[in-house]
Amino acid sequence: MCGIVGYIGTQQACPILIEGLKKLEYRGYDSAGVALLNGGYIDIIKTVGRLYDLEQKLDGVSPEGSMGIGHTRWATHGRPSDVNSHPHKACDSDFVVVHNGIVENYLELKGWLTARGHVFCSETDTEVLAHLVENYYQGDLLEAVRKAVSKVEGSYAMAVMSDREKDKIVCVRKESPLVIGLGNGEQFIASDIPAILNHTRETYIMDDGEIAVVQIDDVSIYNGSGSKVNKQVFKVNWDQQAAEKGGFEHFMLKEIYEQPPAIKDTLKDRLNVLDYKVELKELSLENQYLKNLNKIFIVACGTAYHAGLIGKHVIEKMTRIPVEVELASEYRYRDPIIDPEKNLVMVISQSGETADTLAAMKLSKGMGAKVLAVTNVVGSSVSREADSVIYTWAGPEIAVASTKAYITQLVAMYLWGLHIAQLKETLSRDQVTKIIDGLRRIPSQVQAILEQAPKVENIAETVHQKEDLFFIGRGLDYAVAQEGSLKLKEISYIHAEAYAAGELKHGTLALVTEDTPVMAVITQKDIYEKTLSNIKEVKARDAYVIAVTVKSNQSIESEVDEVFYVPENENILMPLLTVVPLQLLAYYAALMRGCDVDKPRNLAKSVTVE
Ligand code: AGP
């Protein structure tokens, strides 16, 4: 996510802006900048890279000014570069904006503004906002901003300043957070509370649709219809560290709870619900090439590999194209057999920087294959090397244990499978409609599961002292079980393994003794009875079985020790739901074992070496 800061007061603004941006670094970013009202004009200093690079640039100019806005950019539209960094100005620097969010209709607006003589210099969606404000300015900045955002579809937290009205910063919020810190003879603006905690704990938390006029001695807030709002002051009692986690104890828990919006953002403007079609506008692979594919390789590591396992089931089911899922560290050394004309290589990587995955990509391209990347980081190495990219829009993922990135990788698998199925007409219209309707229900269903977190915490209470724990399932349930097992291992250090339920009798059953905890993921209707018989196998050895299933399987309660129910949805979509209690189980078990949940021992967030 991008970070926004602003200041108006009597102090020099620049150091306050930089300090605030440093408090937002945890959000992840690839470039940074500030704009300062310096007497009669606005100075904009910005750069790709880190805040250190921005400070190097500032040392050279040491801009004056007691009013300014600043920004750290997490690239969405337009690669990381100086010119794409914020702040952005209009045709001249009379109007300057910083923005967090996505202007979905920016191309349409850019065309409309260009036709009216506006000249653009960046590839970003944000620059459109500066030109819109300029276009509507007729002597009232508040009105100009109100009119500008009325044309915008998407999400935004935006701060606008102009040297036409030197006594105010105008802010507006829709779906991206924005807070105003209330000082004495000075005011602070930020995307998130950590950036202002050193200055004040009295804040206004802006709500969707509100516009604020921030002046040195007054903050007025107006609602969407222009009426002044009598805003309640929110007093922050978090410490700095808690504030960075939005009040959550750990980044991992925060990111688990960010899954509903992350799924929504990854689906946004990719589902045409009027025609019930998937639209991957960013895809640059020819339809004819895709229709001729006779094999897809999915290559990844760790959790991303587990997303690929789901991808295999989903893509094969939807498109009837054989899919081979490979660990990048194995694939890169096994001299794979690839037909460049008919085989596509997909790589999945949250960071886009995993060394083995990058090496697998380069090997594939060296063999003439096209590579499609699924990644969460715009401008990452993977995104630059690939022939085409499907981005997940999970926002920066800080915790080492991947959660929201994984679930949005699954969303990308479904979108990709549907896209190919549409081309090859391998799914009926009714099947596509059901899956799309099912996808649209997922965010609220994940939210419903999160509201049952205390039930998962109780299950963790039961199992957290165990040294061995098994996950079992069949088909898609087995693929989810593998992710659940990795989550538990990597942060709680409990030795967990996932087994294909049908494999138990071929050896693993020997490990099952009295009270061995077994998590059984059992949602796939067509093989329900088969998995149930495997549950009975472990129960016959006195295992302690916790089932993750749907309410319509309530009869299972007589066969297991505990049940965690997830909402009903299409069979093929169930991994998007069943993984959530497994993520929470890993989190609570690790917490109860006193482990470092966000930074587990021996592990790094991005494995950029072999
Ligand atoms: C997942 O919880 C782990 N942190 C790890 O397995 C991770 O998924 C793997 O290193 C791949 O990372 P990437 O998605 O950034 O390539």
Side-chain angles (χ1 to χ4, degrees):
M1 289 159 282
C2 302
I4 289 174
V5 293
Y7 175 77
I8 184 168
T10 54
Q11 302 182 65
Q12 280 303 310
C14 193
I16 293 171
L17 297 177
I18 296 298
E19 178 218 355
L21 291 177
K22 286 181 177 175
K23 297 295 184 195
L24 298 180
E25 281 196 287
Y26 69 87
R27 297 160 70 93
Y29 70 102
D30 49 57
S31 46
V34 292
L36 293 131
L37 181 68
N38 191 348
Y41 62 93
I42 296 177
D43 254 347
I44 298 177
I45 304 99
K46 59 185 186 177
T47 182
V48 66
R50 315 301 293 167
L51 282 171
Y52 170 79
D53 303 306
L54 177 61
E55 288 181 291
Q56 296 303 300
K57 271 195 175 180
L58 287 166
D59 277 351
V61 294
S62 60
E64 306 277 315
S66 58
M67 181 170 97
I69 52 180
H71 189 266
T72 46
R73 181 174 184 243
W74 170 266
T76 54
H77 294 73
R79 59 191 167 71
S81 67
D82 286 359
V83 75
N84 286 338
S85 313
H86 303 206
H88 283 285
K89 65 179 183 60
C91 292
D92 56 34
S93 57
D94 289 7
F95 301 92
V96 176
V97 308
V98 289
H99 165 237
N100 177 26
I102 294 180
V103 179
E104 289 169 22
N105 60 335
Y106 84 99
L107 287 175
E108 175 198 330
L109 292 171
K110 197 167 183 172
W112 184 76
L113 289 160
T114 304
R116 280 159 182 74
H118 289 262
V119 177
F120 289 83
C121 58
S122 82
E123 305 161 313
T124 68
D125 55 337
T126 299
E127 190 185 356
V128 157
L129 299 173
H131 290 273
L132 273 177
V133 173
E134 180 180 54
N135 185 70
Y136 287 114
Y137 187 76
Q138 293 179 330
D140 182 336
L141 188 59
L142 170 58
E143 268 319 295
V145 171
R146 189 194 307 285
K147 285 178 184 164
V149 296
S150 70
K151 298 291 181 192
V152 171
E153 292 166 19
S155 59
Y156 46 80
M158 175 170 74
V160 185
M161 57 190 267
S162 170
D163 63 0
R164 310 274 184 91
E165 299 186 25
K166 298 182 176 62
D167 65 337
K168 62 176 72 75
I169 299 172
V170 177
C171 308
V172 59
R173 181 237 148 112
K174 177 176 172 266
E175 295 176 16
S176 290
L178 201 57
V179 299
I180 295 166
L182 306 171
N184 185 7
E186 58 185 5
Q187 316 296 348
F188 305 84
I189 297 156
S191 303
D192 209 350
I193 284 167
I196 58 173
L197 267 190
N198 284 353
H199 303 283
T200 177
R201 288 179 176 272
E202 310 269 313
T203 64
Y204 286 151
I205 307 291
M206 289 185 70
D207 290 311
D208 275 359
E210 289 182 342
I211 297 186
V213 177
V214 182
Q215 296 175 288
I216 200 163
D217 285 320
D218 178 66
V219 177
S220 297
I221 295 188
Y222 303 89
N223 62 22
S225 50
S227 314
K228 194 158 183 179
V229 174
N230 179 21
K231 205 73 185 170
Q232 296 303 309
V233 173
F234 173 73
K235 189 159 177 54
V236 180
N237 54 16
W238 296 331
D239 64 25
Q240 183 70 47
Q241 212 191 28
E244 286 181 8
K245 298 174 191 121
F248 286 94
E249 193 178 348
H250 296 96
F251 279 114
M252 183 182 177
L253 191 60
K254 176 172 178 273
E255 289 155 9
I256 288 173
Y257 276 78
E258 285 174 341
Q259 291 184 122
I263 294 165
K264 269 188 203 156
D265 288 346
T266 303
L267 287 172
K268 197 176 275 185
D269 70 39
R270 287 169 164 168
L271 290 183
N272 176 336
V273 291
L274 295 176
D275 306 334
Y276 271 98
K277 280 172 59 183
V278 163
E279 291 175 351
L280 297 177
K281 301 182 188 84
E282 71 272 41
L283 208 59
S284 55
L285 296 173
E286 294 298 320
N287 288 347
Q288 197 49 49
Y289 160 78
L290 294 175
K291 286 162 88 169
N292 291 337
L293 288 177
N294 64 10
K295 187 171 186 180
I296 294 175
F297 291 87
I298 299 180
V299 186
C301 302
T303 285
Y305 167 77
H306 293 150
L309 294 174
I310 302 288
K312 171 182 173 64
H313 284 274
V314 167
I315 296 165
E316 286 187 347
K317 191 89 177 162
M318 291 184 180
T319 71
R320 309 315 295 159
I321 297 174
V323 177
E324 199 169 313
V325 191
E326 304 238 15
L327 290 167
S329 53
E330 290 295 304
Y331 174 88
R332 64 183 290 193
Y333 293 116
R334 73 168 188 78
D335 192 12
I337 300 162
I338 294 182
D339 172 353
E341 297 308 314
K342 293 183 175 300
N343 301 171
L344 170 69
V345 176
M346 288 180 71
V347 294
I348 304 174
S349 176
Q350 186 287 129
S351 63
E353 302 300 342
T354 299
D356 283 322
T357 306
L358 278 168
M361 243 180 123
K362 285 178 181 143
L363 170 69
S364 307
K365 288 179 70 71
M367 296 173 76
K370 289 196 185 305
V371 176
L372 169 66
V374 174
T375 186
N376 195 43
V377 180
V378 175
S380 61
S381 301
V382 154
S383 70
R384 289 199 304 273
E385 299 266 341
D387 295 285
S388 195
V389 183
I390 297 177
Y391 281 111
T392 52
W393 298 117
E397 189 176 66
I398 312 297
V400 166
S402 182
T403 51
K404 62 176 184 174
Y406 168 81
I407 211 163
T408 54
Q409 287 162 359
L410 299 196
V411 172
M413 294 299 111
Y414 290 111
L415 291 170
W416 175 243
L418 285 167
H419 176 76
I420 301 280
Q422 282 165 188
L423 289 178
K424 294 171 62 82
E425 297 179 344
T426 42
L427 287 179
S428 69
R429 183 166 178 71
D430 180 52
Q431 286 172 310
V432 172
T433 302
K434 281 181 178 166
I435 294 169
I436 288 178
D437 279 340
L439 280 170
R440 296 173 68 206
R441 296 204 306 272
I442 291 291
S444 59
Q445 291 185 323
V446 169
Q447 188 57 42
I449 294 169
L450 294 172
E451 285 156 17
Q452 293 186 64
K455 185 167 173 47
V456 182
E457 193 170 6
N458 292 338
I459 295 172
E461 199 62 60
T462 311
V463 304
H464 77 278
Q465 288 169 326
K466 299 291 185 182
E467 287 315 313
D468 295 291
L469 193 148
F470 296 140
F471 290 79
I472 65 171
R474 285 175 181 256
L476 281 169
D477 289 337
Y478 172 42
V480 172
Q482 287 173 268
E483 172 55 13
S485 163
L486 174 61
K487 285 279 97 44
L488 187 66
K489 268 183 279 201
E490 68 174 322
I491 63 170
S492 77
Y493 315 144
I494 293 172
H495 176 239
E497 287 309 330
Y499 292 99
E503 265 303 282
L504 286 165
K505 54 187 169 301
H506 297 287
T508 326
L509 201 54
L511 295 175
V512 177
T513 59
E514 187 183 355
D515 287 339
T516 302
V518 176
M519 295 296 297
V521 185
I522 175 169
T523 67
Q524 298 302 292
K525 294 183 173 55
D526 48 335
I527 43 175
Y528 175 82
E529 290 305 328
K530 299 296 179 191
T531 309
L532 187 58
S533 69
N534 300 131
I535 287 173
K536 290 174 180 174
E537 276 171 15
V538 295
K539 276 308 290 172
R541 277 79 183 175
D542 297 325
Y544 186 83
V545 181
I546 301 137
V548 177
T549 190
V550 290
K551 205 70 178 172
S552 53
N553 296 334
Q554 202 162 3
S555 60
I556 201 169
E557 289 181 8
S558 60
E559 306 287 352
V560 298
D561 298 282
E562 292 194 60
V563 185
F564 183 89
Y565 290 110
V566 295
E568 303 267 358
N569 203 314
E570 295 299 315
N571 224 27
I572 199 168
L573 299 176
M574 290 313 293
L576 289 165
L577 300 174
T578 52
V579 74
V580 179
L582 305 187
Q583 294 168 340
L584 288 167
L585 177 69
Y587 173 77
Y588 288 119
L591 209 54
M592 293 167 187
R593 292 170 67 99
C595 299
D596 184 344
V597 173
D598 284 334
K599 298 189 184 75
R601 66 188 181 204
N602 311 337
L603 300 179
K605 180 57 187 170
S606 177
V607 184
T608 55
V609 293
E610 260 206 86

